[in-house]
Amino acid sequence: MNTRMSTPLSNTLQISREGVVETWTMNDPATRNALSDAVVDGLLQACARAAQDATLRIVVLTGAGGAFCAGGSLGGFASLIGQPLQTGQTDPLLAMNKSFGDLLHALCALPQLLVCRVDGPAMGGGFGLVCCADHVLATERSVLGTPEVTLGLPPAQIAPFVWQRLGESAARQCLLQGLSYTAAQALQVGLVNEVIKEDSDAVWQKTLTRLMRAAPGAVASTKQLLRQLRGPVTDLRDVAAQAFAQGLRSAEAAQGLAAFARKQPAPWTLSGKVPA
């Protein structure tokens, strides 16, 4: 099979193709593959192209360097944490956060089988990516969680996708308590489909052989039927972006993220007091 490689926008996202299988690798190990603007934009471009590619059968989303994805990257917005929006100002956080929502919707709409190969942490936004997959392969050392509320933030864009993936009861527990799951626990709740001791090409080939038994046209048609059966994911992109922006600018987020950086408990954990 022929292999071709490209790198859209930045080296933090690498795309390789072998035959009818394309692998999208988030490649920023220093941040544990956090979702920077470049990564999100690159994945959106990849989704748009894949949606029109009738020769592509399987998309594999993974992360480099022993991590899947640590979640959102605040990047240049760090100075906005805990800072109220000025009157008349357009909040730059809105577009940034909504673009991630666009990505989640685009991943769910792919006509190909979407497979997540998870090794290491899949947190926050990374957890949301996993919820979009048709099949999730995770190593035993993987940890998947939604810590946002423990940091003073709402898990805004991922909430509808977690809800649809896990069901109401498990989603409420996960999102409202900021829970983390081991790979075995994630398998039990239906977030992960397959747990392996460690990721390797040999193990992946066995999974790929099984997935390739499904005809591409039938897969695309079945995915469309399933979307109609369950209904589309509730589109909360604008509302979620607003909730996230307000949350990031709050005193809770400022104190929660500062405590996390210091590896200390957030103030409300110990005192029960609401930040002023």
Side-chain angles (χ1 to χ4, degrees), residues 128-219:
L129 296 177
V130 171
C131 287
C132 297
D134 300 304
H135 188 83
V136 182
L137 179 73
T139 61
E140 290 181 349
R141 70 173 187 161
S142 296
V143 180
L144 306 94
T146 56
E148 287 92 332
V149 293
T150 68
L151 303 174
L153 291 167
Q157 294 292 351
I158 72 170
F161 299 88
V162 177
W163 189 282
Q164 190 168 82
R165 179 80 178 202
L166 300 183
E168 180 174 354
S169 178
R172 281 182 177 275
Q173 186 178 31
C174 174
L175 296 172
L176 294 175
Q177 297 181 35
L179 296 185
S180 293
Y181 300 101
T182 65
Q185 291 168 333
L187 180 67
Q188 188 174 20
V189 300
L191 177 62
V192 165
N193 303 105
E194 188 176 354
V195 176
I196 57 177
K197 186 174 182 61
E198 59 183 7
D199 201 359
S200 69
D201 289 338
V203 171
W204 167 237
Q205 282 302 318
K206 291 181 180 180
T207 299
L208 182 59
T209 297
R210 184 175 71 252
L211 296 175
M212 289 288 285
R213 294 172 58 194
V219 165

Side-chain angles (χ1 to χ4, degrees), residues 26-47:
M26 295 172 284
N27 184 40
D28 190 6
T31 68
R32 297 189 302 170
N33 306 317
L35 291 161
S36 64
D37 290 347
V39 171
V40 171
D41 290 345
L43 286 172
L44 277 168
Q45 290 186 20
C47 285

Side-chain angles (χ1 to χ4, degrees), residues 44 47 98 100-110 132 157 160-161 227 232-237:
L44 277 168
C47 285
K98 187 180 178 183
F100 177 58
D102 293 340
L103 173 59
L104 296 174
H105 281 268
L107 287 170
C108 286
L110 285 174
C132 297
Q157 294 292 351
F161 299 88
R227 284 194 294 272
V233 177
T234 302
D235 192 346
L236 298 179
R237 277 173 279 188

Side-chain angles (χ1 to χ4, degrees), residues 65-84:
F68 179 72
C69 175
S73 172
L74 297 179
F77 298 108
S79 63
L80 303 181
I81 297 172
Q83 299 301 311

